[in-house]
Amino acid sequence: MSSVRSTCPYCGVGCGVLLTPKGAGGLDVKGDPDHPANRGRLCSKGSALGETVGLAGRLLAPRVDGQDTDWNSALDHVADRFSRTIAEHGPDSVAFYASGQMLTEDYYVANKFMKGFVGTANIDTNSRLCMASTVAGHKRSFGTDTVPGTYEDLDEADLVVLVGSNLAWCHPILHQRVLAAKEKRGTKLIVVDPRRTASCDAADLHLPLKLGSDVALFNRLLTAIAEAGALDRTYLSHVNGFDAALETARADSIEPTGLSSDLVDEFCRMWIGTKRVVTIFSQGVNQSSAGTDKVNSIVNCHLATGRIGTPGCGPFSVTGQPNAMGGREVGGLANTLACHLDIENAAHRTAVKDFWDAPRIPEGPGLKAVDLFRAVAKGQVKALWIMHTNPAVTLPEADAVQAAIKGCDFTVVSEIAATTDTSVLADVLLPASAWAEKDGTVTNTDRTISRQRSVLPAPGAAKPDWWHIAEVAKRMGFGSAFDFANSAEIFREHAALSGIAGGFGRDFDISGLAEITDSEFDALAPARWPVAGRRGGRFFADGQSFHSDKRMRMVPVAWRAPDARRAPRFPFRLNTGRVRDHWHTMTRTSLSPRLSAHLAEPFVEIHPVDAVNLGIEPDTLVEVTSPTGRAVLRATISDATRQGELFAPIHWTGQTAPTGRIDALVAGATDPFSGQPESKAAVCAAKAFNASWYGFAVSARPMTPTCDYWAVAPSATGWRMELAGQTIPADWEDAARNLFDLPDAQAQVVTDPARGVARLAFYENDLLISALFAGPKPLGLMRDYVATLPNEDVLTGRAPADRPDPGPMLCACFGVGVNTILTAIESDGLMTVEAVGAALAAGTNCGSCRPEIATLLANSRAREAAE
Ligand SMILES: Nc1nc2c(c(=O)[nH]1)N[C@H]1C(S)=C(S)[C@@H](COP(=O)(O)OP(=O)(O)OC[C@H]3O[C@@H](n4cnc5c(=O)[nH]c(N)nc54)[C@H](O)[C@@H]3O)O[C@H]1N2
Ligand SMILES: Nc1nc2c(c(=O)[nH]1)N[C@H]1C(S)=C(S)[C@@H](COP(=O)(O)OP(=O)(O)OC[C@H]3O[C@@H](n4cnc5c(=O)[nH]c(N)nc54)[C@H](O)[C@@H]3O)O[C@H]1N2
Ligand code: SF4
Ligand SMILES: [Mo]
């Protein structure tokens, strides 16, 4: 079977993949050597894509009120409820919540449906939680939402600064590009992040600034640029606002950053002294009540030095989701129109309305995500459609959002997974085709449009997302406007509309592709817009903006503290973010045992001094509370996090660890310009959870826990689960039989009531199928060994001497654990990441674990030096 070129459906790097069906629904996934984004490489998540395409947990049929039904009934029902709601309560009583993971074609149809035909701008997307501050910042400076640079700039820079970006884990293939540049031309790397992350391993300088203080740092840089005489006067002749921006910057001090002036001076010296500098920024910048100001404080420094749009130079927003950029191009946000046109501009509105032959078009912006769900809670939005996103987990004030969706008169969810925290609240579930089953385009971080191509048949009744919308639209009487035969036809319409935008002088113009045939669309090679190779595809070197006067803007921005004030009751700030091998709410990555083995449980990183003050011991549980919610998480005590700040990952849900839903803790404070929530600086309190028992269970079948704390992950032979409780079960055997749903299975029980220890194993047909370990303290088991059921001697919790415990999985590609690597480092005297690779293969495929291997090497050298 020959392979098909497609695009990885995870992050905004947009790596090309070669997909080969393996039969029985299996899929072989390799990096595409010809794709400009990755040249054949894939990270751990991309390499494991083949493990996530099985049908376990898939939604296979439309479902109305919990009952499977046929498409016709489901679509009629949705159309009828939407039409009636609009007739009774007006178009603004209907809302759509979309996603930066939808294909451009899905997104285009959703936007056309809501803005042109339902007649409301109440369509917003999870990009509000992700890129909205960058969109607002770009528009303030450039008059358009355009990423100026390209990936080649990372190869050609002499200094790369990561601001609020854990590139090593979140955009691993771009990180590898930076490391390659380091090797080749000695590119320096600076990380600006409150935490010491995996991205810091190769850094020349790390600035662990206080949460939310970036504006103060970049204002200092702008001041230093002026003091050093490093201004580019020629470029500044195209820029408005320089004096005001500099004056505001001068008035700020670096005190809010908590950094020493030596460190800040060194940062300024390196930045100013290096002509070719790319400042990469991501969620540590965007997800803030000062997110837009942070973006402009960075852009200001690049404008002042003219370091923009030329090779190796520029502010560079790395996008998170695979089609965050496509969503911005179709105008998927509540305050944008299509093709970078403005919803506030009457001429733009008329042009789009005429092009669509639409009955109406909203005259102003609709509700942004946080407000949209508040309107749902208040009953103002009465019919809601959620597509390709899981807001019950990922929006701030997640408990309130959950209640709002539950209470909404009518909710439709288009999903691939049957059971998510959001789907369980819906009235109607519509089964979607997943990434490997559908067709369309995505745009990555550097504006490269790539094809996603279908290689697997859609299972059951699953249909592409655009089809869900078009079929409902037809049933609502919007017929011919939604009569699309395939995604190519939608793409052509979108490209043609971009030509009209081009006529208004907008930058997003791909109208050269408006006439492509279906087969040309099928064959479309990755192409960066602007399609006509203007200056290597870069923008703004000439100082020409898309403001009406064509001039660039520097925006005066002053540091503001994060929104909520710390109070004695809530003395900590909670930083949140991602881990290497999981994707958001894990509906896909949790299907892969090797991705789950890297970090199998939600955790909270806490500084050692704070842990001592709170009496929190390593590996015990911590209860974190905030004004909006509560979580219970495993303690990871580490000085990688600042004192007074906590860090927790965002990935766990009601399905995988109900007390790990982090956004329950996050307040709905938003940036005044972008409406983006402050997802990384919630105020909170922490204390020891005081579990009276801790447990670990493995089972070949799903488990049904009822205790205070649990977290489940897949293993190679079933599931593994961490458990804990504040009351010790009266009878361990009863408790275990309930957990495993094994009322009659043969059991082997070892208990030591005096020590509070219990070990139980259950057998079916003499085969070990489940085991539970419990004790009064965090369990020191060889978990990865125990999880490989069936094991003869499982109840010892230790691997036999001839099978050493590999420890937690570090290299997901070759399954190499931490202990294996440490043993090799120590016994064979390995000194470099390359040597570890040569000895164990670890780190030699996708390379995502190389920063962590480097840390193990450094720690072991530090230990040796201390001895
Ligand atoms: N493995 C993995 N990769 C992903 C994703 C995933 O789920 N998993 N998701 C994708 C998506 S949608 C996105 S948006 C990107 C996100 O990519 P990133 O933005 O790189 O990821 P995060 O971990 O959310 O946050 C980055 C860093 O911001 C820091 N930070 C927090 N507050 C501040 C601050 O005030 N100032 C500064 N300077 N830094 C701060 C945090 O400590 C964290 O290390 O990742 C994409 N890639
Ligand atoms: N505290 C805190 N909160 C955050 C963040 C943070 O850093 N901190 N980050 C924010 C950011 S940047 C983002 S991008 C969001 C992400 O948050 P979400 O978008 O809510 O998370 P996902 O898990 O990606 O949700 C995608 C859903 O779509 C489903 N799906 C997969 N493929 C398809 C398909 O082809 N069609 C359809 N219809 N459905 C499909 C998946 O099963 C899953 O349920 O989280 C945000 N929330
Ligand atoms: S870096 Fe990894 S997750 Fe991102 S697109 Fe490439 S393979 Fe996929
Ligand atoms: Mo994102």
Side-chain angles (χ1 to χ4, degrees):
M1 190 104 192
S2 66
S3 59
V4 171
R5 294 198 137 81
S6 193
T7 313
C8 172
Y10 294 128
C11 85
V13 178
C15 296
V17 287
L18 294 175
L19 306 177
T20 320
K22 287 200 295 199
L27 192 63
D28 183 63
V29 182
K30 290 207 165 51
D32 178 355
D34 296 329
H35 197 288
N38 58 318
R39 300 271 173 236
R41 307 204 69 151
L42 292 178
C43 77
S44 50
K45 294 180 296 302
S47 310
L49 273 167
E51 289 175 32
T52 67
V53 294
L55 296 192
R58 273 296 287 271
L59 177 66
L60 295 172
R63 224 176 255 182
V64 175
D65 298 329
Q67 301 295 318
D68 281 5
T69 184
D70 58 280
W71 270 112
N72 245 328
S73 321
L75 294 165
D76 284 347
H77 183 58
V78 175
D80 176 55
R81 288 296 300 258
F82 270 55
S83 297
R84 276 200 284 144
T85 308
I86 296 164
E88 278 174 40
H89 305 284
D92 288 341
S93 64
V94 174
F96 201 108
Y97 188 57
S99 162
Q101 297 169 61
M102 286 159 62
L103 302 180
T104 298
E105 293 70 21
D106 303 327
Y107 234 139
Y108 176 84
V109 174
N111 199 46
K112 180 178 183 184
F113 170 66
M114 289 300 283
K115 292 197 179 124
F117 290 79
V118 172
T120 176
N122 282 346
I123 166 166
D124 211 38
T125 110
N126 63 0
S127 283
R128 184 71 58 196
L129 319 177
C130 185
M131 307 314 304
S133 297
T134 291
V135 174
H138 280 167
K139 283 188 159 182
R140 288 206 298 190
S141 288
F142 312 142
T144 179
D145 169 29
T146 300
V147 174
T150 69
Y151 288 161
E152 286 80 60
D153 292 325
L154 303 179
D155 313 331
E156 295 169 18
D158 292 315
L159 171 64
V160 173
V161 184
L162 303 181
V163 191
S165 153
N166 187 4
L167 204 70
W169 280 11
C170 295
H171 300 88
I173 298 301
L174 291 189
H175 192 69
Q176 289 179 15
R177 249 173 126 142
V178 174
L179 297 185
K182 218 171 175 351
E183 193 91 327
K184 201 162 128 220
R185 62 188 287 147
T187 303
K188 296 274 187 281
L189 179 65
I190 300 181
V191 178
V192 179
D193 192 311
R195 283 192 310 145
R196 194 173 65 243
T197 63
S199 305
C200 296
D201 285 317
D204 298 281
L205 199 66
H206 172 213
L207 282 76
L209 79 182
K210 280 191 190 161
L211 280 172
S213 64
D214 305 73
V215 170
L217 178 70
F218 282 90
N219 271 349
R220 174 64 207 142
L221 176 60
L222 183 61
T223 310
I225 288 169
E227 284 168 2
L231 298 168
D232 181 339
R233 293 284 172 193
T234 314
Y235 197 87
L236 282 172
S237 69
H238 302 288
V239 179
N240 288 356
F242 167 72
D243 292 332
L246 181 60
E247 197 183 321
T248 316
R250 276 204 176 114
D252 259 355
S253 85
I254 58 163
E255 199 263 337
T257 65
L259 299 171
S260 72
S261 53
D262 285 352
L263 195 54
V264 174
D265 288 348
E266 174 67 1
F267 166 67
C268 293
R269 200 190 53 72
M270 285 173 74
W271 204 100
I272 293 166
T274 318
K275 183 103 192 80
R276 289 181 168 215
V277 40
V278 173
T279 310
I280 290 182
F281 56 95
S282 186
Q283 298 314 338
V285 167
N286 292 331
Q287 290 172 337
S288 156
S289 57
T292 309
D293 285 355
K294 287 186 182 186
V295 170
N296 289 112
S297 73
I298 294 169
V299 172
N300 282 350
C301 295
H302 282 273
L303 293 179
T305 49
R307 295 176 184 174
I308 184 165
T310 51
C313 291
F316 202 141
S317 147
V318 283
T319 53
Q321 298 179 91
N323 201 27
M325 295 285 269
R328 288 145 77 173
E329 289 154 17
V330 303
L333 292 161
N335 55 326
T336 55
L337 202 47
C339 302
H340 289 191
L341 291 167
D342 293 323
I343 201 162
E344 283 96 347
N345 183 314
H348 290 184
R349 282 200 306 271
T350 309
V352 175
K353 180 171 174 289
D354 290 349
F355 178 83
W356 281 341
D357 198 11
R360 52 193 151 231
I361 201 141
E363 307 237 313
L367 294 170
K368 301 184 176 121
V370 172
D371 289 335
L372 191 148
F373 281 88
R374 285 185 180 149
V376 173
K378 286 192 207 132
Q380 289 159 359
V381 167
K382 296 174 192 301
L384 171 67
W385 193 338
I386 297 166
M387 182 173 277
H388 210 147
T389 175
N390 196 355
V393 185
T394 51
L395 270 173
E397 298 179 10
D399 289 348
V401 169
Q402 215 168 23
I405 299 171
K406 190 157 187 229
C408 186
D409 286 354
F410 186 63
T411 306
V412 182
V413 172
S414 292
E415 249 298 341
I416 60 163
T419 313
T420 72
D421 286 10
T422 304
S423 76
V424 297
L425 308 169
D427 299 289
V428 177
L429 289 181
L430 302 178
S433 316
W435 67 278
E437 301 148 12
K438 62 184 178 183
D439 252 310
T441 57
V442 291
T443 309
N444 73 2
T445 290
D446 86 339
R447 291 176 265 103
T448 298
I449 298 175
S450 298
R451 287 277 281 110
Q452 232 174 59
R453 294 185 175 88
S454 141
V455 285
L456 296 175
K463 290 280 193 184
D465 287 298
W466 66 261
W467 186 90
H468 299 188
I469 307 165
E471 288 302 310
V472 168
K474 285 185 207 163
R475 284 167 172 80
M476 290 173 71
F478 309 141
S480 57
F482 292 89
D483 211 4
F484 298 111
N486 54 24
S487 54
E489 200 175 327
I490 305 170
F491 180 83
R492 285 192 288 269
E493 186 178 307
H494 170 54
L497 178 54
S498 78
I500 292 178
F504 281 106
R506 308 312 290 172
D507 55 357
F508 177 71
D509 184 349
I510 54 164
S511 54
L513 298 169
E515 306 285 322
I516 64 171
T517 62
D518 285 7
S519 55
E520 285 165 346
F521 182 70
D522 276 345
L524 192 69
R528 181 158 59 210
W529 67 263
V531 173
R534 176 167 132 179
R535 271 180 258 97
R538 297 185 179 89
F539 281 89
F540 309 132
D542 56 3
Q544 298 298 295
S545 83
F546 289 82
H547 286 295
S548 53
D549 60 4
K550 301 273 179 281
R551 294 176 61 76
M552 288 290 193
R553 301 272 189 286
M554 280 174 68
V555 185
V557 288
W559 172 78
R560 280 180 279 126
D563 191 82
R565 297 260 167 262
R566 265 192 278 208
R569 270 179 63 220
F570 298 111
F572 287 94
R573 277 203 193 278
L574 176 67
N575 180 3
T576 63
R578 290 155 172 78
V579 302
R580 192 189 77 193
D581 287 354
H582 275 307
W583 178 259
H584 298 164
T585 66
M586 304 202 295
T587 58
R588 285 172 290 172
T589 45
S590 75
L591 300 173
S592 158
R594 66 181 161 132
L595 291 183
S596 301
H598 180 237
L599 288 164
E601 202 186 7
F603 60 88
V604 58
E605 230 170 68
I606 180 166
H607 191 274
V609 172
D610 290 328
V612 167
N613 290 342
L614 295 168
I616 291 167
E617 303 277 335
D619 297 328
T620 58
L621 293 171
V622 181
E623 181 171 357
V624 184
T625 49
S626 85
T628 59
R630 166 185 183 271
V632 178
L633 306 159
R634 185 76 59 184
T636 300
I637 301 174
S638 158
D639 66 359
T641 295
R642 292 180 63 100
Q643 235 177 295
E645 293 178 5
L646 305 174
F647 173 82
I650 61 172
H651 306 287
W652 279 269
T653 69
Q655 316 304 314
T656 46
T659 63
R661 293 173 59 250
I662 276 312
D663 272 297
L665 296 164
V666 177
T670 55
D671 176 277
F673 306 101
S674 67
Q676 177 153 358
E678 184 145 69
S679 311
K680 287 188 167 17
V683 293
C684 65
K687 64 173 197 225
F689 174 72
N690 293 328
S692 47
W693 64 274
Y694 291 85
F696 180 70
V698 287
S699 184
R701 297 210 214 122
M703 295 174 252
T704 48
T706 51
C707 49
D708 298 317
Y709 173 86
W710 59 266
V712 70
S715 70
T717 48
W719 284 267
R720 54 192 281 175
M721 187 178 280
E722 300 286 345
L723 310 111
Q726 286 182 322
T727 14
I728 297 174
D731 182 326
W732 278 112
E733 188 173 335
D734 276 359
R737 286 190 185 280
N738 286 337
L739 172 68
F740 299 127
D741 192 17
L742 292 173
D744 305 315
Q746 182 202 342
Q748 185 191 355
V749 181
V750 185
T751 56
D752 180 346
R755 287 172 49 227
V757 172
R759 294 184 169 198
L760 305 97
F762 292 86
Y763 300 82
E764 240 172 32
N765 303 327
D766 288 335
L767 211 65
L768 179 80
I769 49 166
S770 305
L772 170 68
F773 301 77
K777 294 217 163 354
L779 301 167
L781 299 168
M782 294 185 176
R783 284 173 166 73
D784 295 282
Y785 168 72
V786 171
T788 53
L789 285 177
N791 284 319
E792 288 310 303
D793 49 355
V794 66
L795 287 193
T796 64
R798 304 245 159 260
D802 60 346
R803 266 189 64 181
D805 173 27
M809 185 89 78
L810 202 67
C811 171
C813 295
F814 294 109
V816 189
V818 171
N819 295 350
T820 312
I821 297 175
L822 280 176
T823 309
I825 289 174
E826 267 145 43
S827 58
D828 302 344
L830 306 180
M831 298 296 281
T832 62
V833 176
E834 283 65 36
V836 172
L840 302 168
T844 56
N845 181 41
C846 79
S848 303
C849 62
R850 291 168 66 92
E852 288 152 276
I853 296 175
T855 304
L856 293 181
L857 284 161
N859 289 348
S860 123
R861 274 196 295 273
R863 260 197 312 276
E864 258 170 42
E867 273 159 14

